[in-house]
Amino acid sequence: MDRLLFVAPLFLLPVLTLAQDTTQVALTVDPGRVLHQVDERIYGHFLEHIYHSVNGGLWGEMVWNRSFEDGPGVGGWQVRGNAVSQQGAGTNLRLSFGDADWKDYDYTLEARKTGGNEGFLLLFRVAGDDDFYWLNFGGWSNTRHALERGIKGGGRWGVIKDLGPGSIETGRWYRIRLRCEGRHLQAWLDDRLVLDFTDDQKAHLSGRVGVGTWATQAEYRNFKVTRLDGRVLFSGLPPIDNTGAFGARFWSIYGTGEVVADSDRPLNSSVSVRLAAERGECGIQQQPFSLRENVTYRGSVWARGSSSLGLVLRLRNGTKTLAQVNLGRPSAEWREFPFEFLAPETVDAATLQVGLLGRGRVWVDQVSLMGDEAAATGGYRPDLLKAVADLRPPVIRWPGGCFAEYYRWKDALGPQSQRRSYPVSIWDDVDVNSFGVDEFVQMCRKVGAEPLIVINTGRHDSTTPQAQYVQEACDWIDYCNGPATSKWGKVRTANGHPEPYNVRLWEIDNETWNLGAERYVELVKTFAPALRKTDPKVQILVCGGSGTNPAGNNDWNAKVLKGCGELFDYLSIHHYENPDRYADGPRVYENLFRKLGEMIAASPNPKVQVFVSEWNAQSTDWRTGLYCGGLLNAFERCGDVVTMGSPALWLRHVSATAWDNALINFDQGTWFPAPNYVVMKLWRDHFAPDLIAVEGGPQSPLNVAATATPDSRTVYLKCVNPTPQIATVVVTLKPPYSVRSAALELVSPGDLKARNNLVLSHKVTTAGAPTTVAGRVVVFTMPALSAGVLTLQAP
């Protein structure tokens, strides 16, 4: 930067008249004093298959649950003989019955596991979805028994009494008895007392009973609930509401006839839909679909069976038919029936119908639909792809998160109609695997991001040898990085991608804390050498601690660093913040980064770097924006320790039942940025690699970080004012540096509750603000509860 040629006398500086609710902050910035480098990958992102972020969102396939695997029709609660059965693969599947006024009682039954990864859930004193107890037999991948309690407003339910190691065998009947009297709870498994516990003052004292499963299939019989005075309250099988037994989520039935989810010879995965009728029309339908005028939409339906008049596909806007395609008559074997239509008008909530005409019996599977606008991008929804690209993510973590813990990557290869569904129901969906490794890597290439893949180590699968999961991970690396002549490189080439993807970043599972650090270290010792043997150029990431509690984090992190630190390159840590801590939360987390840096420096591998792979404040109001700016500043200030980051959630359909904290929020036709998106884009657009010294910042009420380009000609001051006072900021550049121009961009909605939505998508947005420049001094105002970036240019 040019030397200072003119020093403004004091009388040229603006007169600062401070109101009672205004503070003055003096900062001195030294572009010549570089503290460390900042890695742009701290502005990375995390793409998890959660709440239709991909399936029904970023990926341009418009049909939800296209293969009918999601819903009661796939093993929902059914009466089979003298038992109730749940044969689905979902998590948190419950069947409750009885009277909410039941207080003290004995509850007995028999249970048999028929498949899956865990054991039984025995529910009691159920007052609602959030207020309940359950005995978890064979939980945590069939390794432990525990008593868990849920309390509305208390967050996710949790263990209140660990019952120690335990597992449930497949195929045998267990006798279960529970007794509750006041706060005193007892339980027996096969007549062995496993629980004798008195709950605290938050105890539930009345409620219904029930059973449940978690990624497991099970049967229950011989239910009996007896009051402690001997009066029988219930005996027999629980009532099950079979209304709408078809039950495939997001679909409904129209017309006359029989519609059933059927497991007889589906095209792939577990079920298809059987349509049967004697006359008229019988079909299934889904809505809403967003159609744009004069855009061509293409898709297909797979079908087999017989029909006198064939199948019909129809798009409707209310009672108006927009397009109709007669698909023809199916035969005994599965056959694909393609279709296309030109949308005659723009419709926000069209209905798609697939129907059987006349007499017939037909099985339908794999209904798909995509607009040419999405197809032109390679299959991605254009507006959401642009929302992703505008953040310029330098790295993207995928496919989870919890989703990665059950993910089988080979199920998502090849033609869409041949892909198998994700094995469990999670995050409001059974993902149909439209978006696999090929689609992910190609999306990364489109937006200029480096792909980062999280592997499934099989810890939730007690029936499959670990060696199989090790081989599966190595095959994945070979598929991504092997030459076109390798075993899995040949498969990649056959799928249309002869050139290696060269994916370098591989993370060994996600949130493995339930294993304990010692067991996870052994897992890393098994997987890491095998991954490096497959490709010596890969970099390994492992699970670090969660939250900001130094004690818990340090214990986990210290054990992992000591136990296997020489085998990995990055420690992947998580933290989700209470949005009310938008001001002090980033400072607390920054303190953990510093302590973690000291621990790494003293570890067997001081080259380990930190990846904050999941972070966010849990809201989509302005508190999240303030937190985002403060934490990104902490990342920059701790750039010698933290070299990658990725917030969660990234994309979320507005129909989601939880986790309202996503950066990109959308419905079937449009989207809006949350405040954390607005702030993160502003910060990312003003990235520079050199963190420079700022004096006065730590003592001020503001959260500030200053960076400069390598030639020191551009300086960025990133500033968050999390206080209710206006701050007048005087920035002085140390000689010989001076300022030719200054520009301030602010996000200042003026209300912690301010938020964007689908109608008002730019209520929280960036706007220019005035500055005053005099030589090497710049003066500007940070409104209360605001975030902004000051850009200084050299003469």
Side-chain angles (χ1 to χ4, degrees):
M1 187 174 285
D2 295 343
R3 289 187 173 273
L4 182 64
L5 301 179
F6 170 74
V7 179
L10 293 178
F11 63 82
L12 290 181
L13 295 180
V15 176
L16 305 178
T17 304
L18 302 181
Q20 187 174 4
D21 59 348
T22 301
T23 60
Q24 183 172 1
V25 177
L27 303 174
T28 301
V29 178
D30 186 357
R33 186 181 166 204
V34 177
L35 302 179
H36 57 245
Q37 297 298 296
V38 178
D39 193 322
E40 69 173 350
R41 293 180 302 173
I42 62 172
Y43 292 99
H45 283 280
F46 171 35
L47 181 59
E48 180 165 19
H49 294 236
I50 181 169
Y51 298 127
H52 296 278
S53 60
V54 177
N55 176 35
L58 180 60
W59 183 244
E61 171 62 62
M62 300 171 68
V63 177
W64 288 21
N65 196 15
R66 73 179 184 205
S67 58
F68 313 107
E69 304 296 327
D70 188 5
V74 194
W77 294 103
Q78 302 173 17
V79 174
R80 292 189 175 184
N82 65 344
V84 292
S85 171
Q86 206 305 108
Q87 298 302 312
T91 59
N92 192 21
L93 302 178
R94 313 182 200 178
L95 173 64
S96 298
F97 61 95
D99 196 317
D101 293 329
W102 287 352
K103 289 183 172 62
D104 296 340
Y105 47 77
D106 257 23
Y107 173 29
T108 59
L109 75 162
E110 293 179 312
R112 178 170 68 177
K113 171 182 172 179
T114 58
N117 298 323
E118 304 213 351
F120 316 124
L121 298 174
L122 182 76
L123 284 76
F124 62 99
R125 285 185 173 168
V126 179
D129 289 343
D130 298 317
D131 295 288
F132 64 94
Y133 293 101
W134 72 31
L135 274 164
N136 189 343
F137 292 112
W140 299 274
S141 301
N142 207 20
T143 61
R144 303 193 71 78
H145 303 325
L147 174 65
E148 299 185 74
R149 181 182 69 187
I151 295 179
K152 189 171 184 178
R156 187 184 174 103
W157 56 91
V159 173
I160 58 172
K161 179 63 175 178
D162 185 356
L163 305 181
S167 62
I168 296 297
E169 297 177 23
T170 300
R172 61 165 284 204
W173 286 100
Y174 289 81
R175 296 183 303 278
I176 303 174
R177 176 191 171 197
L178 172 106
R179 175 186 170 90
C180 47
E181 183 175 7
R183 295 190 294 116
H184 186 212
L185 310 173
Q186 293 177 293
W188 293 260
L189 183 65
D190 278 346
D191 304 322
R192 180 174 64 89
L193 183 68
V194 293
L195 172 72
D196 192 348
F197 175 71
T198 300
D199 200 2
D200 58 26
Q201 295 301 319
K202 296 181 180 179
H204 300 305
L205 297 178
S206 65
R208 296 169 292 146
V209 298
V211 289
T213 59
W214 192 285
T216 301
Q217 297 79 52
E219 297 176 327
Y220 300 92
R221 69 186 184 189
N222 294 334
F223 293 83
K224 190 172 185 179
V225 182
T226 307
R227 210 165 64 181
L228 297 188
D229 63 4
R231 177 186 170 190
V232 175
L233 299 173
F234 179 88
S235 181
L237 292 179
I240 296 176
D241 183 4
N242 285 316
T243 303
F246 162 57
R249 292 185 69 207
F250 315 117
W251 292 95
S252 61
I253 301 170
Y254 76 95
T256 58
E258 180 186 52
V259 180
V260 177
D262 193 342
S263 59
D264 178 33
R265 291 200 303 126
L267 176 65
N268 63 2
S269 296
S270 301
V271 299
S272 60
V273 170
R274 186 179 76 237
L275 309 177
E278 293 296 322
R279 65 182 67 85
E281 183 174 340
C282 168
I284 55 176
Q285 62 186 6
Q286 183 178 133
Q287 62 116 16
F289 291 89
S290 177
L291 307 178
R292 286 166 50 88
E293 184 178 3
N294 293 327
V295 172
T296 297
Y297 295 84
R298 307 172 199 271
S300 70
V301 176
W302 285 78
R304 66 176 176 89
S306 63
S307 169
S308 60
L309 299 176
L311 294 171
V312 64
L313 179 132
R314 191 180 293 113
L315 264 294
R316 299 175 68 88
N317 182 14
T319 59
K320 178 182 179 181
T321 297
L322 302 173
Q324 180 169 314
V325 181
N326 292 317
L327 299 178
R329 299 178 182 179
S331 57
E333 300 303 320
W334 285 107
R335 181 158 64 93
E336 185 176 19
F337 293 84
F339 61 86
E340 65 178 74
F341 61 89
L342 183 72
E345 59 189 66
T346 295
V347 181
D348 291 331
T351 299
L352 172 72
Q353 295 181 333
V354 178
L356 166 67
L357 298 174
R359 182 177 183 179
R361 184 181 176 90
V362 173
W363 286 259
V364 171
D365 209 343
Q366 294 290 337
V367 182
S368 67
L369 179 66
M370 182 180 290
D372 277 2
E373 292 177 319
T377 71
Y380 312 96
R381 183 170 141 178
D383 61 333
L384 297 184
L385 181 64
K386 184 177 186 304
V388 164
D390 284 350
L391 286 170
R392 298 189 296 123
V395 63
I396 300 175
R397 179 179 184 245
W398 174 87
C402 292
F403 188 89
E405 296 174 25
Y406 295 92
Y407 185 64
R408 310 304 293 268
W409 70 273
K410 295 174 185 178
D411 288 344
L413 295 180
Q416 292 283 331
S417 61
Q418 295 179 13
R419 300 186 181 192
R420 294 184 59 81
S421 295
Y422 185 74
V424 300
S425 173
I426 188 172
W427 307 130
D428 289 356
D429 190 24
V430 173
D431 198 291
V432 294
N433 277 323
S434 294
F435 188 94
V437 62
D438 294 315
E439 290 78 16
F440 167 63
V441 172
Q442 295 308 307
M443 188 271 290
C444 288
R445 300 290 185 256
K446 285 180 177 292
V447 302
E450 180 181 5
L452 186 162
I453 291 177
V454 184
I455 65 171
N456 174 8
T457 63
R459 61 191 171 90
H460 297 302
D461 183 354
S462 60
T463 63
T464 304
Q466 187 183 79
Q468 183 171 321
Y469 279 92
V470 173
Q471 187 60 54
E472 188 169 313
C474 293
D475 291 347
W476 202 352
I477 290 180
D478 186 33
Y479 184 87
C480 290
N481 299 349
T485 55
S486 72
K487 178 181 177 180
W488 284 95
K490 289 178 181 178
V491 178
R492 184 192 65 242
T493 300
N495 288 336
H497 308 281
E499 294 299 318
Y501 291 148
N502 295 319
V503 178
R504 297 302 170 210
L505 298 168
W506 296 83
E507 186 170 351
I508 300 178
D509 218 320
N510 171 76
E511 294 187 352
T512 55
W513 310 307
N514 67 297
L515 290 177
E518 293 82 0
R519 286 184 62 198
Y520 181 61
V521 165
E522 294 306 311
L523 202 67
V524 173
K525 288 180 177 179
T526 300
F527 276 82
L531 302 183
R532 290 197 194 276
K533 183 178 179 180
T534 305
D535 183 353
K537 295 180 181 178
V538 300
Q539 294 183 301
I540 304 296
L541 302 90
V542 304
C543 296
S546 176
T548 57
N549 184 329
N553 269 282
N554 290 347
D555 182 60
W556 175 278
N557 292 329
K559 288 179 179 178
V560 171
L561 284 164
K562 181 180 179 181
C564 59
E566 72 282 358
L567 296 178
F568 63 88
D569 304 285
Y570 291 87
L571 192 65
S572 173
I573 65 175
H574 294 177
H575 176 55
Y576 294 100
E577 185 59 88
N578 180 335
D580 288 331
R581 292 174 54 83
Y582 57 88
D584 59 341
R587 297 288 190 184
V588 173
Y589 208 13
E590 183 173 357
N591 183 57
L592 184 139
F593 300 154
R594 295 295 181 199
K595 293 183 181 299
L596 187 53
E598 295 170 1
M599 182 185 300
I600 291 171
S603 77
N605 185 3
K607 294 182 179 180
V608 166
Q609 301 170 60
V610 173
F611 175 27
V612 187
S613 52
E614 295 184 31
W615 64 266
N616 214 338
Q618 302 296 75
S619 77
T620 49
D621 58 30
W622 179 231
R623 294 173 299 170
T624 299
L626 291 168
Y627 177 80
C628 175
L631 191 62
L632 290 172
N633 279 355
F635 288 173
E636 295 203 343
R637 290 191 297 264
C638 297
D640 52 337
V641 176
V642 177
T643 57
M644 282 198 294
S646 57
L649 304 178
W650 197 11
L651 296 99
R652 174 186 184 270
H653 194 279
V654 294
S655 66
T657 55
W659 281 79
D660 185 17
N661 73 344
L663 282 76
I664 298 169
N665 303 269
F666 60 93
D667 65 1
Q668 71 274 13
T670 188
W671 74 282
F672 69 87
N676 45 11
Y677 180 102
V678 176
V679 171
M680 193 163 188
K681 184 178 186 306
L682 178 62
W683 259 235
R684 175 69 175 116
D685 287 345
H686 295 85
F687 171 79
D690 294 344
L691 185 80
I692 58 176
V694 179
E695 297 174 5
Q699 288 74 41
S700 81
L702 307 182
N703 185 321
V704 298
T707 56
T709 53
D711 61 5
S712 299
R713 298 191 62 83
T714 303
V715 170
Y716 299 121
L717 184 71
K718 294 168 179 170
C719 189
V720 178
N721 180 8
T723 75
Q725 287 80 39
I726 299 169
T728 300
V729 186
V730 180
V731 177
T732 304
L733 293 187
K734 277 198 171 182
Y737 300 96
S738 62
V739 180
R740 172 176 57 85
S741 65
L744 177 63
E745 294 180 70
L746 279 177
V747 189
S748 180
D751 182 357
L752 288 174
K753 296 181 180 180
R755 63 173 66 236
N756 295 328
N757 57 44
L758 291 170
V759 177
L760 300 174
S761 60
H762 290 90
K763 185 174 182 179
V764 179
T765 191
T766 304
T771 63
T772 302
V773 180
R776 54 189 177 87
V777 178
V778 179
V779 181
F780 65 96
T781 298
M782 288 293 296
L785 305 173
S786 66
V789 178
L790 176 71
T791 301
L792 305 178
Q793 297 288 354

